[in-house]
Amino acid sequence: MIDFHCHLDLYPNPYEVIQHCDREGVYVLSVTTTPKAWHGSSKLVKGCEKIRTALGFHPQLAHERHNEIDLFDELLPQTRYVGEIGLEGAKDWKPFMAVQKKVFAHILKSSTISGGRIMSIHSRYAVDEVFNLLIKYPDAGIPVLHWFTGTKTQLRKAISIGCWFSVGISMLSTKKGRAIVNEIPKDRILTETDGPFVKYRSKQLMPWNVKYAVTELANSWKCQLFEAENQIVSNFRKLFVDI
Ligand code: MN
């Protein structure tokens, strides 16, 4: 099982969650929300072979934390993963779009200079703006759009510029989300929970609950659960060959 977008450090009991992941053999991309969170978060998973920490700069925090950009650059050589990064266009954050774009562009530029990174990207209500910057920095790495909520036209554009997608049970629980997932090439999909922020059946999602998403994918692909699982695992392996 692969949870490609999870905020492990934000669970109230991260050590227990990590131990459970280890026991279940869940691969986790542990995304962070600020450069300052990097050290603590990566320390949490020291020695866990299947968990990787991504260096992040959440767009909802860009206006408060933009002075951490130098720290971001300093830490970047330590990881192949960047996230959660991107842009947020909902009304509470739209007023800060200029600084968000500045931070996101800086990250893409730094990633380009460093030879590319695997990137977990937030694009809510700002899909076109995210595309414009990804197109401007084509060598920044592999963009994995997390919880994509754009239109089908935007989806086709995302596919054409080389984006991958991490999809979770929330996305797969809506008709619109399922319609989008049906049009994503099977070899560009990964699974995610976005825990601990997401609830499903009134329970906080844990990384191993990513199996709900795999089950839905199997339904949507009209295949067996193990076939859907194999597809996700082979995608995950291919991602590392591609960068
Ligand atoms: Mn997230």
Side-chain angles (χ1 to χ4, degrees):
M1 282 186 288
I2 291 150
D3 184 354
F4 206 72
H5 184 107
C6 182
H7 299 266
L8 275 184
D9 59 342
L10 301 180
Y11 282 97
N13 52 343
Y15 281 111
E16 283 168 43
V17 177
I18 290 161
Q19 276 175 5
H20 194 133
C21 288
D22 233 12
R23 277 200 305 274
E24 301 257 333
V26 189
Y27 285 89
V28 182
L29 184 66
S30 165
V31 294
T32 55
T33 50
T34 65
K36 272 198 181 144
W38 164 261
H39 279 302
S41 300
S42 50
K43 225 185 260 171
L44 278 177
V45 300
K46 220 173 168 193
C48 301
E49 253 178 56
K50 294 180 173 171
I51 304 180
R52 293 290 181 271
T53 307
L55 174 63
F57 212 133
H58 201 291
Q60 293 175 350
L61 300 172
H63 62 291
E64 290 168 351
R65 306 293 197 109
H66 53 92
N67 57 354
E68 288 181 39
I69 201 72
D70 292 338
L71 181 61
F72 182 94
D73 287 347
E74 195 185 309
L75 296 171
L76 188 60
Q78 297 184 33
T79 179
R80 295 173 70 191
Y81 310 88
V82 163
E84 175 166 7
I85 56 166
L87 299 173
E88 163 70 64
K91 72 172 188 334
D92 287 354
W93 293 280
K94 209 172 175 161
F96 310 115
M97 191 48 84
V99 63
Q100 288 188 50
K101 282 185 182 169
K102 209 171 143 191
V103 167
F104 186 39
H106 182 104
I107 289 169
L108 295 172
K109 192 176 171 189
S110 297
S111 299
T112 304
I113 295 166
S114 315
R117 291 292 183 273
I118 294 168
M119 307 180 286
S120 186
I121 299 179
H122 177 112
S123 58
R124 191 167 66 150
Y125 302 123
V127 174
D128 291 325
E129 290 88 341
V130 165
F131 291 166
N132 290 342
L133 284 170
L134 290 177
I135 290 165
K136 198 168 166 196
Y137 297 97
D139 298 321
I142 300 179
V144 182
L145 299 179
H146 126 77
W147 199 338
F148 178 76
T149 52
T151 62
K152 284 197 180 178
T153 310
Q154 287 171 326
L155 175 71
R156 282 190 281 274
K157 173 126 188 199
I159 295 166
S160 77
I161 61 174
C163 292
W164 286 54
F165 303 85
S166 57
V167 307
I169 189 62
S170 315
M171 187 172 171
L172 286 155
S173 299
T174 68
K175 209 175 154 197
K176 187 191 167 201
R178 276 197 300 269
I180 289 285
V181 170
N182 270 326
E183 294 207 11
I184 299 175
K186 270 191 193 173
D187 61 355
R188 297 247 197 117
I189 294 191
L190 297 166
T191 42
E192 67 165 44
T193 61
D194 202 12
F197 298 118
V198 179
K199 280 190 171 176
Y200 181 61
R201 294 176 183 156
S202 54
K203 272 191 169 164
Q204 189 172 52
L205 273 187
M206 309 305 282
W208 49 92
N209 296 143
V210 82
K211 69 171 183 279
Y212 298 135
V214 185
T215 305
E216 271 307 314
L217 279 175
N219 288 339
S220 134
W221 291 339
K222 297 182 177 45
C223 69
Q224 301 285 322
L225 184 63
F226 80 91
E227 291 172 300
E229 253 167 17
N230 288 348
Q231 178 72 52
I232 302 295
V233 171
S234 98
N235 293 349
F236 178 67
R237 297 219 165 100
K238 189 171 159 276
L239 188 64
F240 298 94
V241 178
D242 279 1
I243 197 156

